[in-house]
Amino acid sequence: MRLLHTSDWHLGRAFHRVNMLDAQAAFIDHLVTTVRERGVDAVVVSGDVYDRAVPPLNAVELFDDALHRLAGLGVPTVMISGNHDSARRLGVGAGLIGRAGIHLRTDPAACGTPVVLPDAHGDVAFYGLPYLEPALVKDEFGVHQAGHEAVLAAAMDRVRADLATRPPGTRSVVLAHAFVTGGEPSDSERDITAGGVAAVPAGVFSGVDYAALGHLHGSQTITERVRYSGSPLPYSFSEADHRKSMWLVDLGADGSVAADRVDCPVPRALARIRGRLEDLLADPELERHEQAWVEATLTDPVRPAEPMARLSGRYPHTLSLVFDPERAPEDPAASYARRLAGRSDRQIAEDFVAHVRGAGPDERERLVLQDAFDAVRADEAVREVAR
């Protein structure tokens, strides 16, 4: 069976101030063409179909168009909700839409109920694990500690239990939206840390033939059977080095996996350039970036006059301007953002406690801080679902 694995469409999202709807429509055209021309038997979409819980109307219309075109090809599609989606909204009409071959899996309670698709060698069971917010699903899965690993492991126990009841030789595919250990994040993914831990081990997916992952925006191979497709379009300059693609996966009769990448159309290259303004305007080596979307980091000790206007003269698609003056690390004027770079919200809060009190929080106080951050994040998730 030939699968096309994609995820993280983020329909309705912009790239800085650039409306990406046309680029997203071009991706949908490319997706449909790939399904038709490459003999795809099933499409799997591993979450974050939309960029927010209540997407704009033009994003909903594009999604509707995609579903109609995929259904028109007669190729089954299995799709889960991600942490950006409203699972309840995405799942509206799932039973009816399923009759057209579009299978929406947004209910955590249905993790162990697969979509079963046959091929010449038997059945393939597709298990959809929508994004599992630990604080919201721990009771459903009977886990005491609200962490990503605990709830995902419990969901996979249901998958394996159902698979054990299937005829021998039944192959299996799991769709999941999670941060798996070994994956490389980018700046455009929403933090899903719970209990101070975001990542889960790849071994949680043992016992299935292929795990089609979503959430991280870079295409990645965690193991031969566990992969991220990545987002089809860039959504932050941290993705400047990404090769945007989908996975074309051949699932053999014996459950073997062979995967190739299918490149996605990207409207414009991304470039991150750094240096003093005059150097960026004159360096001939930077000519290759003149038509790219540009993030420019200026290192001039003193902020130059009209930097954006001058940069735009050479790089007309400059979207982001960052100032990082050349200063010694101990300079008190060093960037506040630089001092915070790479630090989590909890670490910043702990540093604040140490600054105010003269000593950092003890272990009990760290747990209180973490519980507070987890509660706020869970509350935000509940609010999005309820909107």
Side-chain angles (χ1 to χ4, degrees), residues 187-333:
D187 294 342
S188 50
E189 298 121 6
R190 184 181 295 170
D191 180 28
I192 59 171
T193 301
V197 178
V200 299
V204 77
F205 298 107
S206 64
V208 298
D209 294 308
Y210 184 70
L213 301 182
H215 179 56
L216 300 185
H217 287 185
S219 178
Q220 301 170 61
T221 299
I222 306 300
T223 72
E224 287 304 306
R225 297 184 182 275
V226 180
R227 298 173 188 264
Y228 283 99
S229 67
S231 62
L233 293 166
Y235 293 113
S236 74
F237 276 102
S238 66
E239 301 170 50
D241 295 329
H242 287 188
R243 174 186 165 192
K244 295 302 182 182
S245 59
M246 303 177 284
W247 285 111
L248 193 65
V249 179
D250 286 318
L251 187 61
D254 59 353
S256 59
V257 171
D260 292 312
R261 291 174 74 175
V262 179
D263 289 327
C264 296
V266 177
R268 197 176 294 279
L270 272 60
R272 301 179 107 171
I273 59 177
R274 179 184 179 89
R276 296 194 177 198
L277 178 59
E278 295 301 332
D279 294 335
L280 298 183
L281 294 176
D283 189 348
E285 289 295 317
L286 298 178
E287 183 179 354
R288 67 187 188 277
H289 299 315
E290 290 180 352
Q291 295 306 312
W293 281 323
V294 168
E295 178 187 74
T297 299
L298 299 185
T299 60
D300 303 71
V302 177
R303 182 175 179 136
E306 299 183 330
M308 180 61 89
R310 296 172 67 190
L311 280 167
S312 296
R314 183 178 187 186
Y315 311 100
H317 304 289
T318 301
L319 299 181
S320 176
L321 187 58
V322 180
F323 292 94
D324 189 13
E326 295 170 348
R327 294 191 177 106
E330 64 276 7
D331 189 325

Side-chain angles (χ1 to χ4, degrees), residues 11 50-57 59-60 84-86 89 383-387:
L11 300 181
Y50 292 121
D51 188 56
R52 56 182 185 267
V54 184
L57 180 58
V60 177
H84 280 250
D85 299 308
S86 165
R89 280 187 169 81
R383 287 170 183 263
E384 285 204 352
V385 169
R387 286 175 67 188

